[in-house]
Structure formats: C-alpha cells, structure tokens
Amino acid sequence: MRCKQKILALLLAVALLLAMSSTALADGEVCEMNGTKYLTLAEAVAAVPTNGTQTTITLLKDTTGNGVIVPSGKNIIFDLGWNVYTVDGTVGSSGTETNGFQLLKGSTVTFQNGTIKGGTAAKILIQNYANLTLKDVTLDAQGSTQCQYVCSNNCGTVDITGDTNI
C-alpha cells in the first residue's frame, strides 16, 4: 500500500512540473501570426511569405527584444496591440548593425496600435527602404542615449496617419 502512495505522489509531482513548464513556455511567447505564437518578432517575420501576401503579426504583451530585419518581398502589419516593444539589440547591414528595425526595399510594412521604444543600442530606431505606414503608433527614442534618427527614409514612401507620435 505504501508503495502505491509513493508512486501516486511521484506521478502528481511530475504532472505538476509538466503543467508549470508548459505555462512558462506560453509566457515566453510575445507575438502571434495566423494562430501560431512566436518567442520573438524576428521568428514571426521569418515565417511571413515573400509573395506579397499581407500578414499581420500581433504583439501579445509589452516586450523587450532585439531589432528586426524585414527582408524584401514581405507585406507585414505589425499590430502592437496597444503594447510597447522596446528595442534592445540592433540589426543592419554587415558592419553597420545600428538599427532597431531595418525595412528593406520591396516590402510593405505597417506599424500600428502601440509604441516602439528605442533601447540603449539603436542609433536609428527605424531604417526604412520599404513602403511604410505609421498608424496610431508612437515612436519613442527619448530614453535612448544612442539614437540619432527615429525614422530614416531612404527609399519608398512613409504615410503617417491616425494618432501617430514621433
């Protein structure tokens, strides 16, 4: 009888550990796209097709994460879900990784419904070569000691709509 109690206690402990670990994994997910959740914005961007199909990536909570490169041929709406994405880590062309977001030529990108904050590393919060729309979004580099440009436009168009603050 005592052996059965020990086995039952062990099984309950294992079940509790499994339940806690699955919750921890779910807590690490920061964004969602087409019903799939991702641990980083960069992972979600990599999964967006390059055939021009418009795809929405929704931020699920306030998040601090690395910068993101949007390659050519992507059509992405970053719906921040009224959350804050703080850029902590930079991206860019080899040898000049100073950008929070690098949006490459031939893409269409929208940031909407939330805030993008510059962390301490990015010199350019958004380096734009794409067709960019900023809609009801705040681009905030006030707390950044390194930021020289909030949004640099080198190619493509920039449409600023709604209640956007830069």
Side-chain angles (χ1 to χ4, degrees), residues 37-113:
K37 294 183 179 177
Y38 296 88
L39 296 174
T40 68
L41 281 181
E43 288 177 0
V45 168
V48 172
T50 56
N51 63 3
T53 301
Q54 188 177 64
T55 305
T56 300
I57 298 172
T58 304
L59 194 64
L60 300 174
K61 59 186 177 182
D62 289 351
T63 302
T64 297
N66 285 331
V68 177
I69 295 175
V70 175
S72 296
K74 306 255 180 172
N75 186 344
I76 302 173
I77 297 172
F78 289 97
D79 186 340
L80 302 173
W82 303 109
N83 295 298
V84 177
Y85 187 80
T86 302
V87 178
D88 183 28
T90 56
V91 295
S93 301
S94 181
T96 59
E97 295 89 357
T98 59
N99 306 316
F101 285 85
Q102 184 182 37
L103 314 177
L104 296 180
K105 186 176 180 179
S107 287
T108 301
V109 178
T110 298
F111 290 104
Q112 65 184 27
N113 305 330

